């Protein structure tokens, strides 16, 4: 879903798929290359604004950006309310507006 733009996108996609198509089987495939491993120490090596930060902790690297905390909270709220018809989802535009205020 578009409202889950930052965190929980895989789980949100699974919930939406199950809602539309019914319960579908899931498979676990061993990821040899670790490309989806958010904790991999080499994943965020060249991110602007993260120079000189402890590279062994990707969470700390993300946390140095003010927009990260805002986007994370908004997206978490969107995920929790994904099936609430009365909820208006936050967007990236809301993140940038909040940063400017």
């Amino acid at each position: 879903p578009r409202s889950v733009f930052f965190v929980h996108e895989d789980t949100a996609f699974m919930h939406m798929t199950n809602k539309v198509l019914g319960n579908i089987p899931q498979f676990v495939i061993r990821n040899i290359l670790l490309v989806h491993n958010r904790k991999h120490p080499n994943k965020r090596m060249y991110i602007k604004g993260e120079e000189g930060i402890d590279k062994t902790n990707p969470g700390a690297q993300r946390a140095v950006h003010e927009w990260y905390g805002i986007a994370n909270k908004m997206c978490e709220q969107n995920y929790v309310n994904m099936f609430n018809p009365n909820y208006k989802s936050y967007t990236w535009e809301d993140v940038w507006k909040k940063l400017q205020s």
Side-chain angles (χ1 to χ4, degrees):
R2 244 185 273 165
S3 64
V4 184
F5 56 86
F6 193 60
V7 292
H8 300 302
E9 64 278 4
D10 296 344
T11 307
F13 179 73
M14 179 189 71
H15 289 308
M16 292 298 292
T17 303
N18 286 341
K19 184 175 182 174
V20 173
L21 301 176
N23 197 10
I24 58 173
Q26 294 188 35
F27 301 92
V28 175
I29 300 170
R30 185 168 181 241
N31 188 344
I32 296 168
L33 298 175
L34 297 171
V35 293
H36 196 66
N37 185 349
R38 292 183 180 100
K39 303 286 183 187
H40 194 280
N42 294 329
K43 185 159 184 179
R44 300 179 62 85
M45 292 298 290
Y46 306 103
I47 305 295
K48 183 177 179 182
E50 294 183 3
E51 302 86 2
I53 298 170
D54 178 14
K55 298 296 183 186
T56 62
N57 184 350
Q61 291 169 246
R62 293 181 187 104
V64 301
H65 304 286
E66 188 179 358
W67 62 265
Y68 177 80
I70 296 167
N72 193 43
K73 287 177 185 171
M74 288 181 175
C75 200
E76 188 81 35
Q77 187 77 22
N78 288 350
Y79 174 72
V80 170
N81 287 288
M82 188 167 50
F83 296 115
N84 179 353
N86 300 316
Y87 177 75
K88 183 187 178 309
S89 297
Y90 291 110
T91 65
W92 275 112
E93 287 77 24
D94 296 318
V95 173
W96 307 134
K97 284 179 192 173
K98 178 83 173 174
L99 273 172
Q100 293 173 353
S101 63

